[in-house]
Amino acid sequence: RIHILVNAAGGAVRSAMVPQDQMADGGERTFFDVPAEDVQKEFDLNMRGTWLPSKVLTPLMIGQQGACVINVSSMSAFGPLTRIPGYSGAKAGVSNFTQWLATYLARSGVRVNAIAPGYMETDNTAQLREDRQRSEEILARIPAGRWGVPDDLAGAVVFLASAASDYVHGHTLAVDGGWLAR
């Protein structure tokens, strides 16, 4: 039996894209240069990687007390990050799908929610953290003054997986050091 499903598929294709208004000499890539294949990879990984396990496994969860699905979205679902439009769109889709699936399964006893991590110290962000200027720009915007670590997500996941959240359905909980509060 499956009581808890965590859909944690995620990743971005870093296209070295910069916003149009920040181009220095015209040599950087813009939105218009991002290959459609990169965006498709982001949607496949993030959206399909959440949808498919839910489709296959939630039928096994119906009727089980305390059954829940926790999807991993992103703070970019609330406001897109300028350099990764495909990722931001896909994660917004994960949050929207979370709401849809929550309303679809609520009466069957399965809760569906999501967490939205902010900037985390992971392999996916190593390049950003190593770029001193970008890292300082990011840290300046995080009220907590630091990058998150994976353990920062544990409390939110435990809450959403526990009976303490029995009446929470379709919510995306930001765990972002205050990024969205600014």
Side-chain angles (χ1 to χ4, degrees):
R1 300 188 321 161
I2 298 171
H3 293 282
I4 301 168
L5 169 61
V6 178
N7 289 312
V13 176
R14 299 248 177 241
S15 305
M17 188 187 83
V18 297
Q20 187 77 14
D21 63 345
Q22 293 179 16
M23 294 184 67
D25 61 11
E28 296 93 349
R29 288 171 49 167
T30 68
F31 166 76
F32 308 107
D33 303 312
V34 176
E37 296 80 21
D38 286 1
V39 175
Q40 186 63 52
K41 286 177 190 174
E42 290 173 324
F43 270 81
D44 286 347
L45 176 59
N46 295 284
M47 236 346 274
R48 189 170 188 208
T50 299
W51 175 84
L52 191 56
S54 297
K55 178 183 178 3
V56 172
L57 298 173
T58 56
L60 304 173
M61 302 169 78
I62 292 174
Q64 294 185 47
Q65 183 164 350
C68 68
V69 176
I70 302 169
N71 296 322
V72 178
S73 182
S74 166
M75 68 179 181
S76 69
F78 296 99
L81 302 175
T82 58
R83 297 171 192 249
I84 46 177
Y87 174 83
S88 294
K91 289 302 190 176
V94 168
S95 287
N96 187 279
F97 175 68
T98 297
Q99 292 175 319
W100 180 87
L101 191 60
T103 60
Y104 187 78
L105 292 175
R107 291 185 187 250
S108 70
V110 179
R111 287 177 291 109
V112 182
N113 292 289
I115 59 170
Y119 282 102
M120 295 283 155
E121 287 184 10
T122 65
D123 291 343
N124 287 341
T125 61
Q127 184 179 0
L128 282 175
R129 288 181 285 116
E130 290 166 6
D131 180 334
R132 184 180 166 135
Q133 180 181 344
R134 285 285 293 134
S135 185
E136 287 176 5
E137 290 170 358
I138 290 166
L139 284 171
R141 176 123 190 254
I142 301 172
R146 67 175 178 85
W147 288 75
V149 295
D151 283 349
D152 289 327
L153 303 173
V157 172
V158 169
F159 166 69
L160 292 174
S162 75
S165 67
D166 276 352
Y167 202 60
V168 179
H169 291 263
H171 183 69
T172 298
L173 176 59
V175 184
D176 65 355
W179 177 279
L180 293 172
R182 298 197 73 176

